[in-house]
Amino acid sequence: MAWWKAWDLIETLKSELSGKFERLIIALMYPPYRYEAKELYDAMKGIGTKEGVIIEILASRTKNQLQEIMKAYEEDYGSNLEEDIKADTSGYLERILVCLLQGSRDDLSGYVDPGLALQDAQDLYAAGEKICGTDEMKFITILCTRSATHLLRVFEEYEKIANKSIEDSIKSETHGSLEEAMLTVVKCTRNLHSYFAERLYFAMKGAGTLDGTLIRNIVSRSEIDLNLIKNQFKKMYGKTLSSMIMEDTSGDYKNALLNLVGSDL
């Protein structure tokens, strides 16, 4: 279907549907990269910025995926994603988001230089735990420009030096959206499927449901790795994703989510 024809259908659906069910069905109408571009656009338009949405998408996508998202963003909204992020955020959060958007972390070779990994771990320790105050740019540079396999080695070396995990150091040295962004990079590096399982779990845990998070993560991963995320979800929380959706949602919205997730009861 041509994209402009899909726009017409989306407008028709909006007039016929409502609420969370409408939001889910509209999300399914978008081609993958255009949907993520829309989520980023919606996170920045109007008053206030939904930093969590931007962090989630930029920290969890590959360089190729980010390039496709940037292209779709420019085509659909006539604007440059990097420039919009710069205009909508500031300080170290802006720097880490722009750095993530550039997608410098991909290295499919899997090669790790042990000497560089040790040096990076020492640099992180010197930039945080060893001094009064934090050299945020050192953390940002290493977390955003090194490959996942390299960072895993860095995290091991860091724990030996600091006697605490990189996560604990980030929590003690930073706060707010910058802390969330750094921790998200670490989580996605350690286990991407665990990260998405956690996002889905906390979208439904407790009073109320974070429907935007629930919809975005199920829709965006449905044709990529949702089965792996479902398996990880069950390992981590002792219950299936389907069972939690059944407990936490209702009506057509629930049925549509369950059709997307498939049976894992």
Side-chain angles (χ1 to χ4, degrees):
M1 182 190 292
W3 179 229
W4 62 269
K5 289 182 180 177
W7 270 117
D8 291 342
L9 181 53
I10 285 170
E11 291 306 311
T12 302
L13 287 168
K14 283 180 178 178
S15 68
E16 297 292 329
L17 304 173
S18 63
K20 294 175 280 191
F21 182 56
E22 175 200 332
R23 188 170 181 179
L24 173 58
I25 298 303
I26 297 302
L28 290 167
M29 293 301 301
Y30 280 79
Y33 300 123
R34 286 197 144 89
Y35 173 59
E36 287 152 314
K38 174 189 179 297
E39 287 291 287
L40 288 167
Y41 178 79
D42 288 348
M44 290 184 282
K45 76 176 183 181
I47 298 171
T49 303
K50 297 174 183 172
E51 287 98 348
V53 176
I54 304 171
I55 291 165
E56 174 198 293
I57 293 174
L58 299 193
S60 63
R61 269 52 172 188
T62 66
K63 182 174 184 175
N64 286 342
Q65 288 169 338
L66 289 171
Q67 287 173 340
E68 291 294 334
I69 291 167
M70 284 189 280
K71 181 182 172 186
Y73 188 94
E74 191 144 3
E75 288 174 357
D76 288 352
Y77 304 106
S79 190
N80 179 276
L81 178 55
E82 182 175 328
E83 292 305 314
D84 284 358
I85 287 171
K86 287 179 178 177
D88 223 60
T89 58
S90 60
Y92 291 118
L93 177 63
E94 175 199 329
R95 295 191 186 190
I96 194 169
L97 292 176
V98 169
C99 196
L100 287 170
L101 188 61
Q102 290 164 354
S104 304
R105 293 174 298 150
D106 287 11
D107 177 9
L108 301 180
S109 71
Y111 173 73
V112 175
D113 179 339
L116 180 59
L118 178 59
Q119 184 62 56
D120 281 345
Q122 291 169 339
D123 288 348
L124 287 172
Y125 181 66
E129 294 291 332
K130 194 177 179 181
I131 60 172
C132 181
T134 308
D135 180 355
E136 288 88 352
M137 279 312 299
K138 180 60 70 175
F139 272 78
I140 290 169
T141 300
I142 291 173
L143 290 176
C144 294
T145 62
R146 306 294 196 256
S147 71
T149 47
H150 179 87
L151 282 176
L152 288 173
R153 182 66 175 266
V154 173
F155 299 160
E156 283 180 23
E157 296 293 347
Y158 182 87
E159 197 154 347
K160 292 175 189 173
I161 297 167
N163 290 317
K164 64 195 297 188
S165 69
I166 189 70
E167 289 94 334
D168 286 342
S169 286
I170 289 169
K171 287 173 187 174
S172 65
E173 296 294 323
T174 62
H175 63 276
S177 294
L178 178 61
E179 176 188 336
E180 182 185 352
M182 287 186 180
L183 288 175
T184 300
V185 173
V186 174
K187 288 174 183 178
C188 291
T189 299
R190 288 198 188 278
N191 190 321
L192 187 63
H193 304 125
S194 293
Y195 168 70
F196 283 117
E198 182 186 82
R199 291 288 285 175
L200 289 166
Y201 178 76
F202 284 104
M204 294 182 282
K205 183 179 182 289
T209 304
L210 301 174
D211 293 291
T213 301
L214 184 61
I215 291 168
R216 183 175 56 257
N217 285 290
I218 288 177
V219 170
S220 66
R221 309 311 292 189
S222 60
E223 296 183 11
I224 301 174
D225 54 4
L226 188 56
N227 281 334
L228 296 170
I229 293 166
K230 283 160 53 179
N231 292 339
Q232 196 64 30
F233 189 99
K234 192 170 183 180
K235 282 182 191 173
M236 291 167 68
Y237 303 111
K239 60 171 73 178
T240 65
L241 178 57
S242 293
S243 68
M244 203 160 176
I245 289 170
M246 288 185 74
E247 293 167 9
D248 214 65
T249 61
S250 60
D252 291 336
Y253 176 54
K254 176 182 78 173
N255 293 333
L257 284 171
L258 290 173
N259 281 331
L260 273 173
V261 168
S263 176
D264 61 357
L265 296 172

